[in-house]
Amino acid sequence: MELLWSTFGVSVLSAFFPVVNIEAYLGVVASQVGTTQSLPLAVTAAFGQALGKIAWYEAARRGTDSRWMAKRLEKPAVRARYESWTYRAEGRPLLVVGVLFTASLVGLPPLLVVAPLAGALRLNRLVFVATIVAGRSVQFFVILQGIGHLLG
């Protein structure tokens, strides 16, 4: 149980600070426990990542209504980029979810960039969390299984 809690903590921390690498942490864990705990560890780490990314999502979601953002949007280049992403996303929630899932699964584009974008585009919170948990669970399970089998 301690391992699950520490995994959760490291994953939340890594969602805020990219220098804390959850994949490397899981690799070390897999080398110690093998493949037997891969699924609970993967899902725990995925929930931690989602929890951490909610902060980025909410900051961007609320930030689009702020005076600071209104001032930034006065700049034509910033407004053009914002409107371009908004135009692409409006009426296309599957596009936003697809990009978010890809970022969660393979890290391209970086989830640290996509999470606030999802907030700014006002993607449904439950869809946001579920998509990250799904993508990250698969990625983390593959890492844990791969290293566990390689070293086990």
Side-chain angles (χ1 to χ4, degrees), residues 103-122:
S104 299
L105 182 64
V106 297
L108 290 173
L111 188 54
L112 187 62
V113 172
V114 177
L117 180 61
L121 295 173
R122 301 198 184 291

Side-chain angles (χ1 to χ4, degrees), residues 35-83:
T35 61
T36 59
Q37 297 180 40
S38 294
L39 186 58
L41 284 167
V43 173
T44 298
F47 270 103
Q49 281 272 291
L51 179 67
K53 295 302 181 192
I54 285 174
W56 294 104
Y57 168 93
E58 285 297 332
R61 184 179 181 104
R62 294 176 186 177
T64 57
D65 298 329
S66 71
R67 278 186 249 149
W68 177 83
M69 185 63 169
K71 187 160 181 79
R72 296 229 352 121
L73 289 174
E74 290 174 2
K75 296 177 183 174
V78 173
R79 176 165 289 288
R81 272 185 274 140
Y82 178 76
E83 288 175 353

Side-chain angles (χ1 to χ4, degrees), residues 88-89 91-101 123 127 131:
R88 289 179 195 154
R92 297 182 188 151
L94 290 179
L95 173 66
V96 177
V97 170
V99 171
L100 181 61
F101 182 76
L123 180 66
V127 172
T131 303

